[in-house]
Amino acid sequence: EVHLVESGGGLVQAGGSLRLSCAASGFTFDDDDYIIAWFRQAPGKEREGVSCISSYDGSTEYGDSVKGRFTISKDNTKNTVYLQMNMLKPEDTAVYYCAADKGTITLMLPGIYDHWGQGTQVTVSS
């Protein structure tokens, strides 16, 4: 059974940085082809794709609002995906979710992801 656990959220001032982690179990990055993605959802807004990475070849995608500020990466030895968030803005405030879907095509469409973590709150103060 696939299980995803996010960590690393918190309160930070605008311009600061945070690193989120998503520890995955139930599959391995080395042996299984999965797309692992970060989504976020602010109150009253739709869930938004932030970034995703392929366990197959490490290819990545980013949402337009975070390009140049956020970096996604993976550590195969820890079966963990990271989201380094720099130059944070108040509009980045949201609950951030990790999601996983079996496959090799990097798409940030929430509906295709079968597995979700519980979410971690990121709050950026102005």
Side-chain angles (χ1 to χ4, degrees):
E1 180 182 357
V2 174
H3 196 52
L4 305 170
V5 179
E6 304 100 331
S7 60
L11 173 64
V12 64
Q13 288 189 332
S17 299
L18 281 175
R19 189 179 79 157
L20 305 183
S21 300
C22 173
S25 59
F27 68 96
T28 63
F29 293 1
D30 283 334
D31 297 328
D32 301 300
D33 297 333
Y34 272 77
I35 304 299
I36 302 94
W38 287 98
F39 291 87
R40 67 186 183 186
Q41 189 163 21
K45 294 189 176 181
E46 292 187 353
R47 193 161 292 192
E48 174 190 13
V50 176
S51 185
C52 62
I53 188 167
S54 167
S55 68
Y56 171 67
D57 60 4
S59 58
T60 61
E61 291 288 340
Y62 293 92
D64 289 341
S65 62
V66 306
K67 283 180 181 176
R69 299 188 299 122
F70 291 10
T71 303
I72 193 169
S73 62
K74 62 182 178 75
D75 184 336
N76 285 20
T77 65
K78 296 182 178 180
N79 230 47
T80 297
V81 169
Y82 302 98
L83 184 69
Q84 179 65 44
M85 305 185 295
N86 298 328
M87 296 181 288
L88 283 161
K89 305 174 181 180
E91 51 263 43
D92 293 318
T93 295
V95 177
Y96 283 70
Y97 297 91
C98 178
D101 181 55
K102 193 168 178 60
T104 58
I105 300 174
T106 50
L107 291 173
M108 290 191 290
L109 300 173
I112 70 172
Y113 286 82
D114 294 327
H115 310 284
W116 291 83
Q118 81 286 353
T120 185
Q121 176 71 46
V122 171
T123 303
V124 184
S125 63
S126 57

